[in-house]
Amino acid sequence: MKLSNETLQLLKRHGSVRQFTDKPVTEEQLAAIIEAGQMASTSSNVQAYSVIAVTDQALKSKLAGLAGNQVYIEQCPIFLVWCADLYRLREVAKPHLDGATSYEDSTENLIVATVDVALAAQNAAVAAESLDLGIVYIGGIRNCIAEVSELLGLPDLVYPLFGMCIGYPAGTAGQRPRLPLQAVLHRERYNAETMVEQVKVYDEVTSEYMRERTGGANAAPWSAIMAKRLAEPTRLHMKEFLHGKGFMKQ
């Protein structure tokens, strides 16, 4: 028998929302959502992230354009831009270093900051959904990441990882089937053979899902969709951008 409680049910109901009503998100709701995000685990308590809340319609429109003309950025009441932030650490540590070498620009610290952002954002997403709000993550802000960074005034050692639309859903969010548990959960060591077999099972599920979703126009299995994705050179500018922002120098 599968375990179930209110928290598990909330988590399992998640679906990305891409249509929002014009009902506003209150400042109290925003504060509660971000505070919940702040309680996520953080490596060594560095809390290496910042969040830009965008409500100005003109600015949201510009961001929507830079993210690939995703109109729900314009439609949602609040658009959050989640940023990895090592600038704050560098600045507040300076008075205490006494000339010692500082490694805020190391690759490890980039990983730490990136993980911190993701953990905090997911906490915030669950908090929003607990308030009957809907969310969708927007990785498209990395399409034109330099322009987004300039638009938001991000200093060196800060980069926008993804956006998040928040608002009241207009309609029901759809859910895509996920990989079988056995394809994700390994025991004691990685089991490549089991993983491959479970993906074959998942391919059948996703093929049927795509067939139903597209009215028979597309029945591509997950592995074929992933192959197409890997074959596309996506955001190859990221390495140069991160180096230019002062990351991964060590």
Side-chain angles (χ1 to χ4, degrees), residues 52-238:
I52 313 295
V54 181
T55 57
D56 179 78
Q57 197 60 42
L59 183 52
K60 285 194 296 176
S61 294
K62 290 179 182 178
L63 290 169
L66 291 171
N69 298 314
Q70 299 189 58
V71 295
Y72 24 92
I73 297 176
E74 299 180 70
Q75 187 187 37
C76 69
I78 294 182
F79 184 60
L80 301 181
V81 181
W82 292 84
C83 303
D85 185 352
L86 293 171
Y87 172 82
R88 179 170 58 233
L89 292 180
R90 183 186 70 183
E91 294 303 299
V92 301
K94 279 179 180 178
H96 306 283
L97 287 171
D98 296 325
T101 301
S102 179
Y103 295 94
E104 70 278 346
D105 56 1
S106 71
T107 300
E108 167 62 11
N109 277 326
L110 172 62
I111 294 171
V112 165
T114 302
V115 171
D116 264 16
V117 178
L119 294 175
Q122 187 58 19
N123 254 30
V126 174
E129 291 175 341
S130 78
L131 298 172
D132 297 323
L133 297 164
I135 71 102
V136 62
Y137 284 96
I138 306 293
I141 64 166
R142 299 194 302 277
N143 291 352
C144 301
I145 193 167
E147 292 87 343
V148 169
S149 296
E150 183 176 358
L151 196 60
L152 299 178
L154 303 183
D156 284 351
L157 295 174
V158 177
Y159 86 95
L161 192 61
F162 44 71
M164 179 189 289
C165 297
I166 296 183
Y168 285 92
T172 304
Q175 281 191 319
R176 297 190 187 198
R178 295 300 201 243
L179 284 160
L181 180 65
Q182 294 83 356
V184 175
L185 177 62
H186 301 258
R187 302 286 183 172
E188 315 311 334
R189 59 180 293 159
Y190 197 96
N191 190 326
E193 183 177 349
T194 297
M195 179 274 296
V196 170
E197 289 305 311
Q198 289 298 316
V199 169
K200 291 179 181 177
V201 174
Y202 185 57
D203 271 349
E204 295 179 8
V205 173
T206 53
S207 181
E208 181 59 28
Y209 167 80
M210 291 299 296
R211 184 180 292 109
E212 291 180 4
R213 182 179 177 182
T214 63
N218 185 357
W222 180 76
S223 58
I225 295 170
M226 293 301 104
K228 181 180 179 182
R229 186 183 187 283
L230 289 178
E232 295 174 349
T234 304
R235 300 177 190 136
L236 298 184
H237 56 268
M238 285 298 303

Side-chain angles (χ1 to χ4, degrees), residues 42-61:
T42 169
S43 179
S44 302
N45 201 34
V46 296
Q47 304 172 73
Y49 57 88
S50 290
V51 189
I52 313 295
V54 181
T55 57
D56 179 78
Q57 197 60 42
L59 183 52
K60 285 194 296 176
S61 294

